[in-house]
Amino acid sequence: QLFRQFYVMVVVYIYFTRIVVYLLRNTVQYQYLWISEAADQLATLAFYVWVAVKFSPTEANPYLRLAHGDESVELAPSSSSHA
């Protein structure tokens, strides 16, 4: 479900930044050319914020489940010798 939403958002982002911004750039007058750049930057910001929120670490993340049986973690002894 999450990766399907991500795929849709990537496609929307690409179409918006390539087609809608292109149309804005070619249809507005020169003094309003900043609107196309602002739309491009705002779409990029919105996309990055959406990705950060959706893929932020959570307690109930089904993709990062850890085994609950072994709570102790042992570190391997260092093999470096001080000679």
Side-chain angles (χ1 to χ4, degrees), residues 24-36:
L24 277 172
R25 193 173 292 135
N26 289 325
T27 56
V28 298
Q29 296 176 3
Y30 178 75
Q31 66 260 24
Y32 300 116
L33 197 58
W34 62 270
I35 294 174
S36 64

Side-chain angles (χ1 to χ4, degrees), residues 47-58:
F47 177 73
Y48 287 153
V49 167
W50 182 85
V51 168
V53 168
K54 285 295 188 178
F55 287 94
S56 63
T58 61

Side-chain angles (χ1 to χ4, degrees), residues 37-76:
E37 287 299 320
D40 188 20
Q41 295 298 319
L42 285 174
T44 302
L45 177 67
F47 177 73
Y48 287 153
V49 167
W50 182 85
V51 168
V53 168
K54 285 295 188 178
F55 287 94
S56 63
T58 61
E59 281 286 323
N61 189 346
Y63 301 108
L64 297 175
R65 287 213 175 110
L66 299 176
H68 291 277
D70 188 19
E71 294 294 328
S72 64
V73 176
E74 290 186 27
L75 297 175

